[in-house]
């Protein structure tokens, strides 16, 4: 989930998030913030961290599925942002970095939290009550397609090309293939699928909002995202208190799944992604987006025993090909 450099990132990739956000994966704002900085090398080779990140975000949909076996969807989303916020707060404490300041900044972070965390996390959790985790992961991969379609309307600097239009059409053809449109979508829960697609739509809407409102906001990506997750935690705590009852028990595997979903899939993964962008650049780092549905599908089939028909992997491949085309841009012409 690429755009002209402007704001600092507060976007979680889809599943990441953001994934996908993300997209999404990371934002080009991260690239802008780190383009002039020296490339830093992590303790592990970037390829190893790239693989770990792909697995963590790919397994996020499996963890959501397991979490909903014992907790209401709003509670799964609450645990996700809570433990993600705690993970990033720990990083800030170690680095001695402050949280963002200013009522205007926190006001925009409140909207960003709703669009990029509270709404999509809840929608994905509700979706997986009735659809396989593999299908949710594939729906998440449509986020770049939604982003391209929205950018044509909302972002005047993001000009369309024939290739990108072709990618948009190809991607949605892939969605129809995954859903088995020629069978009249039989065997697919329409409500759950609609929730998953709506969740993936939330990411580009949120990112466009972030680009327009938080450009140049002081603070590191970790501080801004940590603040955003704190706000989302408050939002989901209120919603959970109003619409769900407190859990009467805390089964081991669903509880561990929610903790891992937040601490690893939302906290550690974001921190790792920022490091990858700094070291290898946003173009390479955002390629993690295309591995997420593959891993989500594999995990759902092997671990949860979900059924896999031929149209699911074929449609997913078409979706990813279309998404890749929508992210290509014509290089600017050099002056004579």
């Amino acid at each position: 989930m690429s755009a002209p450099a402007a704001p600092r990132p507060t976007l979680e990739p889809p599943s990441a998030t953001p994934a996908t956000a993300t997209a999404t994966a990371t934002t080009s704002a991260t690239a802008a913030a780190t383009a002039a900085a020296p490339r830093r090398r992590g303790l592990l080779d970037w390829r190893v961290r790239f693989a770990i990140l792909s697995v963590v975000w790919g397994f996020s949909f499996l963890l959501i599925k397991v979490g909903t076996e014992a907790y209401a969807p709003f509670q799964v989303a609450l645990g996700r942002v809570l433990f993600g916020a705690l993970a990033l707060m720990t990083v800030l404490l170690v680095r001695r970095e402050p949280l963002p300041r200013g009522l205007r900044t926190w006001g925009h972070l409140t909207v960003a939290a709703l669009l990029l965390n509270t709404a999509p996390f809840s929608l994905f959790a509700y979706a997986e009550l009735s659809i396989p985790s593999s299908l949710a992961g594939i729906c998440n991969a449509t986020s770049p397609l939604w982003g391209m379609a929205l950018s044509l309307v909302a972002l005047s600097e993001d000009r369309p090309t024939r290739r990108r239009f072709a990618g948009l059409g190809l991607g949605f053809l892939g969605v129809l293939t995954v859903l088995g449109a020629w069978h009249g979508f039989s065997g697919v829960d329409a409500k759950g699928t609609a929730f998953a697609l709506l969740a993936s739509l939330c990411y580009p809407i949120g990112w466009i909002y972030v680009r327009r409102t938080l450009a140049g906001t002081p603070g590191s990506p970790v501080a801004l995202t940590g603040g955003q997750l704190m706000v989302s935690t408050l939002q989901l705590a209120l919603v959970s208190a109003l619409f769900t009852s407190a859990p009467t028990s805390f089964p081991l595997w669903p509880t561990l799944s929610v903790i891992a979903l937040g601490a690893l899939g939302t906290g550690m993964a974001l921190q790792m992604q920022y490091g990858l962008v700094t070291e290898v650049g946003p173009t390479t780092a955002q390629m993690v987006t295309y591995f997420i549905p593959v891993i989500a599908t594999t995990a759902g089939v092997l671990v949860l025993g979900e059924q896999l028909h031929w149209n699911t992997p074929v449609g997913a491949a078409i979706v990813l090909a279309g998404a890749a085309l929508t992210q290509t841009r014509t290089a600017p012409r050099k002056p004579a």
Side-chain angles (χ1 to χ4, degrees):
M1 300 173 182
S2 53
R8 305 269 184 171
T10 57
L11 174 64
E12 174 175 349
S15 107
T17 338
T20 358
T22 130
T24 331
T26 57
T27 66
S28 61
T30 314
T34 59
R39 304 281 173 150
R40 297 194 301 266
R41 294 187 177 275
L43 296 177
L44 295 175
D45 183 82
W46 73 267
R47 297 170 187 83
V48 177
R49 285 176 284 139
F50 184 96
I52 294 173
L53 190 60
S54 301
V55 171
V56 169
W57 273 338
F59 267 79
S60 292
F61 297 95
L62 180 149
L63 296 175
I64 294 172
K65 190 75 170 180
V66 175
T68 55
E69 293 177 359
Y71 302 108
F74 280 134
Q75 293 169 347
V76 172
L78 172 60
R80 182 175 184 177
V81 294
L82 171 62
F83 289 105
L86 291 175
L88 292 185
M89 290 302 104
T90 302
V91 173
L92 292 177
L93 286 174
V94 172
R95 293 182 177 180
R96 297 182 179 179
E97 292 184 21
L99 286 169
R101 296 179 180 178
L103 290 178
R104 176 184 176 276
T105 298
W106 282 98
H108 290 314
L109 286 177
T110 299
V111 179
L114 176 64
L115 294 173
L116 297 171
N117 304 112
T118 302
F121 291 179
S122 300
L123 286 168
F124 270 125
Y126 269 104
E128 293 198 39
L129 291 177
S130 56
I131 67 172
S133 64
S134 55
L135 178 56
I138 294 171
C139 289
N140 179 74
T142 64
S143 189
L145 303 176
W146 295 119
M148 186 266 181
L150 290 171
S151 69
L152 299 180
V153 177
L155 302 174
S156 59
E157 73 273 14
D158 207 359
R159 293 292 88 192
T161 63
R162 290 181 180 178
R163 178 178 295 183
R164 300 183 74 194
F165 269 124
L168 187 63
L170 185 64
F172 285 110
L173 175 62
V175 173
L176 295 177
T177 303
V178 170
L179 300 181
W182 59 92
H183 293 309
F185 306 106
S186 61
V188 176
D189 183 80
K191 184 178 179 181
T193 304
F195 279 161
L197 291 172
L198 184 59
S200 70
L201 174 61
C202 288
Y203 291 120
I205 294 175
W207 174 225
I208 290 173
Y209 177 83
V210 166
R211 290 180 60 186
R212 290 187 176 278
T213 60
L214 289 170
T217 301
S220 72
V222 176
L224 287 167
T225 307
Q228 180 178 307
L229 289 177
M230 288 177 60
V231 174
S232 181
T233 300
L234 294 176
Q235 292 173 346
L236 282 165
L238 177 61
V239 171
S240 297
L242 291 174
F243 296 103
T244 66
S245 56
T248 57
S249 62
F250 299 90
L252 179 61
W253 290 115
T255 302
L256 290 179
S257 295
V258 172
I259 294 173
L261 183 64
L264 300 180
T266 303
M268 183 206 76
L270 280 177
Q271 181 67 16
M272 186 176 292
Q273 182 73 344
Y274 295 142
L276 283 174
V277 171
T278 302
E279 184 172 336
V280 300
T283 301
T284 300
Q286 73 178 3
M287 291 299 293
V288 70
T289 305
Y290 303 110
F291 289 88
I292 292 174
V294 177
I295 295 173
T297 300
T298 304
V301 171
L302 296 182
V303 180
L304 298 180
E306 296 176 348
Q307 292 186 346
L308 183 65
H309 302 288
W310 69 267
N311 58 302
T312 300
V314 171
I318 297 174
V319 168
L320 294 178
L325 283 176
T326 65
Q327 301 308 298
T328 59
R329 285 179 171 79
T330 305
R333 295 180 179 179
K334 295 182 179 179

